[in-house]
Amino acid sequence: MTINLAMMIDPNKILNFRRLATAFFFLSGLIMVSLLPFWREIGVVPNFISVVVYLWTIYRPDLVSRKLFILLGICRDATMGYPIGVSVLELLLIISLTSPFRRFVIEKNFRIVFIGYVLFTTLSNCLFWLILSATKGYLLPFTGALKPIIFNLLAYPLMCQISLHMQQRIDRIKMQGFYG
């Protein structure tokens, strides 16, 4: 009896890997978008990942992987010049704070979910500001926390649509074999 490689690999693990890889590249793309030079002219560094992680934690917890967010956090820290671990802490806090909130808002309308995001992004950005201030050894200007809060709130409806489109794209990923 011969056993080939295809018999040894679990198809569900391959499918799960493909979905996580797609989510990783999508979220990495959001990090790269925040590096574009015109954000400096506006004076804000957008945190699009926080919107998507918030929405996925509420509506699609199957896409929320702590390993994925640890890797993304390290990548974000490295690309943005933050101390390594700051974004990991932020992303894990997002998941930890949003998960219990999920039951309350899962069947609610857009307004309730948005109010939750307002509270969440305010808390998240203030914590991020405090963590960065602590790593620098002095208090950074609070406008560094206020501008991203306002920008993320303005970008929230658009990011909801982009997140929904990406969720649908991930759901369409099927088992296609090893070669296509």
Side-chain angles (χ1 to χ4, degrees), residues 3 6 8 13 42 51 74 78 97 107 112 118 130 132-134 161 169 172 175:
I3 298 176
M8 293 174 32
K13 287 185 179 179
I42 298 172
V51 180
I74 292 170
L97 295 174
E107 298 292 327
I112 299 296
V118 169
L130 282 172
L132 280 179
S133 292
Q161 290 299 314
R169 188 171 203 109
R172 285 194 302 263
M175 279 302 301

Side-chain angles (χ1 to χ4, degrees), residues 5-69:
L5 184 61
M7 293 173 65
M8 293 174 32
I9 298 175
D10 182 12
N12 290 327
K13 287 185 179 179
I14 294 171
L15 182 62
N16 191 36
F17 175 77
R18 290 180 69 190
R19 287 181 172 184
L20 285 177
T22 303
F24 174 78
F25 287 117
F26 167 64
L27 294 170
S28 296
L30 292 179
I31 292 172
M32 297 319 243
V33 166
S34 63
L35 291 174
L36 293 173
F38 63 85
W39 298 119
R40 286 187 207 183
E41 294 173 17
I42 298 172
V44 67
V45 177
N47 189 1
F48 296 126
I49 290 180
S50 70
V51 180
V52 175
V53 172
Y54 173 79
L55 292 170
W56 286 5
T57 303
I58 291 174
Y59 294 112
R60 294 297 304 273
D62 60 307
L63 297 177
V64 176
S65 164
R66 293 194 193 293
K67 291 176 187 174
L68 173 69
F69 292 129

Side-chain angles (χ1 to χ4, degrees), residues 97-171:
L97 295 174
T98 307
S99 292
F101 185 65
R102 180 180 186 272
R103 285 192 178 140
F104 175 73
V105 299
I106 193 72
E107 298 292 327
K108 303 292 193 257
N109 61 19
F110 178 83
R111 187 175 347 124
I112 299 296
V113 177
F114 180 71
I115 290 170
Y117 182 71
V118 169
L119 296 172
F120 160 76
T121 196
T122 303
L123 178 64
S124 174
N125 278 295
C126 288
L127 282 173
F128 193 71
W129 171 76
L130 282 172
I131 292 168
L132 280 179
S133 292
T135 60
K136 296 281 187 180
Y138 58 91
L139 281 179
L140 297 170
F142 189 69
T143 56
L146 190 59
K147 286 180 183 179
I149 291 170
I150 293 168
F151 186 82
N152 283 348
L153 294 177
L154 293 173
Y156 181 81
L158 175 65
M159 291 308 300
C160 285
Q161 290 299 314
I162 292 170
S163 173
L164 177 62
H165 176 73
M166 198 62 210
Q167 290 173 42
Q168 292 168 342
R169 188 171 203 109
I170 290 171
D171 287 341

